[in-house]
Amino acid sequence: MKQLKKFLDPPKVLVLGFLTISLMGTFLLSLPYATVDGNGLSFLNALFTSTSAACVNGLVVVDTGTTFTLFGQLVILSLIQLGGLGFMTFATFFAVLLGKRISLKERLLLRESINSSSISGVVKLTKRIILFTVTIEIFGAILLASRFTAEMPIGKAVYYGVFHAISNFNNAGFDLTGGFKSLALYAEDPIVSLTVCALITVGGIGFIVLNEVFEYRETRRLSLHTKIVLATSFVLTFGGTIFILLLEFGNPKTLQPLSYSGKVLASLFQSVTPRSAGSSTLNLSDLSQSTLFLLIFLMFIGASPGSAGGGIKTTTFATLLGAVWSQIKGKEDVVFFRQCIPFGTIYKALTITISGIFLAIILTMLLTITESGKDFLMILFEAVSASSNVGLSMGLTPELSPIGRILIIFAMFAGRVGPLTIAYAVATREKPNAFRYPKGKIMIG
């Protein structure tokens, strides 16, 4: 037993935890009363849907609104909530409610789960995470339900409001509108569009940032991490909005038929959602190639650390940009807001980025083999969306071959847990060397 506990370090526990949740969801979605036709999903489709929900991705091979019964939809919703917050967050919360003591190893697992830099105050932060989640999801559900009551019975409207609030706050992007149309019916609706955008944004900046903003009235300070997350998120969101508005303004299949306010809303929504959400108000296959490439870029960056979102993360992107700028200026230090970034952080940012690039390239290459005959941009879009844990699709997902679905399942899992976490879980840690090799010189550039 002691050897097993020693073997199960935090990365291994996180990988096994998400794997267990996905397999449990697969079993439940395979049951006859999970689907409208009474047959349940096939194992592969159930595994795909369960993994997508547990990893808060959003890619679907069957239509959520028309395929599943209320039971099946609630299973998906539970997987989204559990996967978004993390199983360790739930376990700690219930342990605290029962008055149990949180051990050091459990605190280490929590730190890894929520991507905190320290175990100090991690239990208090976990309580705050639950509070933030419940409060924000209830508020979002009320706003969405108030809009949905105009076109459906109040009970159904409340259910739709709750489902879409949880789905989008956790950056999952599952919807119940039917027909793989996502939220296209609400492209010009300010209540739905702005509420969903707010849920995605707040859910994507990370709980550590939320907690610091919440405490700002008392502390009157924000950490460097929070400043970089907020600044980078602002630039990417509004920069993306402007570019999409300019690129799609005259496209008769997307923005041209909309009013001026509708054009701005749709541009803002399509700028926010690639940051790891999966919802959309425009038909992505109708977007121009330049806009699709911009979305791929935004998907690759993704959300922020400590959130349910994927991608290389905003702080990683900002750190690399800072390193490039410092190199151009001939400076050794990477400085943000008068604070120097450690070299270890820069190396980690570079490692995460290269890992993300390789994962996307390998997945794209394999999909061009398994899905031969499909448009390359569509395959690249699908690969980046899956590996960056986003969930947007140009329509390829339901048409994937069995091998293609298996590849996407692996990519969604890696996108949620993180390639580095999987590598740490699988690899055998080497002991530090007792000596160092002499430095060598190579030419770069």
Side-chain angles (χ1 to χ4, degrees), residues 262-273:
K263 287 181 173 66
V264 175
L265 275 177
S267 299
L268 174 63
F269 198 101
Q270 265 55 235
S271 176
V272 169
T273 192

Side-chain angles (χ1 to χ4, degrees), residues 86 124 164 218 227 273 301 310 349 401 421 443:
K124 178 183 176 182
H164 290 93
E218 297 178 3
K227 290 177 182 178
T273 192
I301 296 173
S401 65
T421 303
M443 297 181 67

Side-chain angles (χ1 to χ4, degrees), residues 21-96:
I21 294 170
S22 298
L23 292 176
M24 288 174 58
T26 301
F27 168 74
L28 293 173
L29 294 177
S30 301
L31 297 175
Y33 35 88
T35 57
V36 175
D37 61 12
N39 297 322
L41 290 183
S42 65
F43 174 78
L44 184 57
N45 285 348
L47 179 61
F48 190 104
T49 305
S50 177
T51 304
S52 182
C55 297
V56 288
N57 188 289
L59 289 175
V60 291
V61 289
V62 295
D63 184 58
T64 308
T66 57
T67 302
F68 297 100
T69 59
L70 178 61
F71 171 79
Q73 292 172 4
L74 290 177
V75 168
I76 291 173
L77 196 61
S78 301
L79 290 170
I80 291 171
Q81 189 72 87
L82 186 58
L85 287 179
F87 62 93
M88 277 305 303
T89 303
F90 274 102
T92 303
F93 178 70
F94 285 115
V96 171

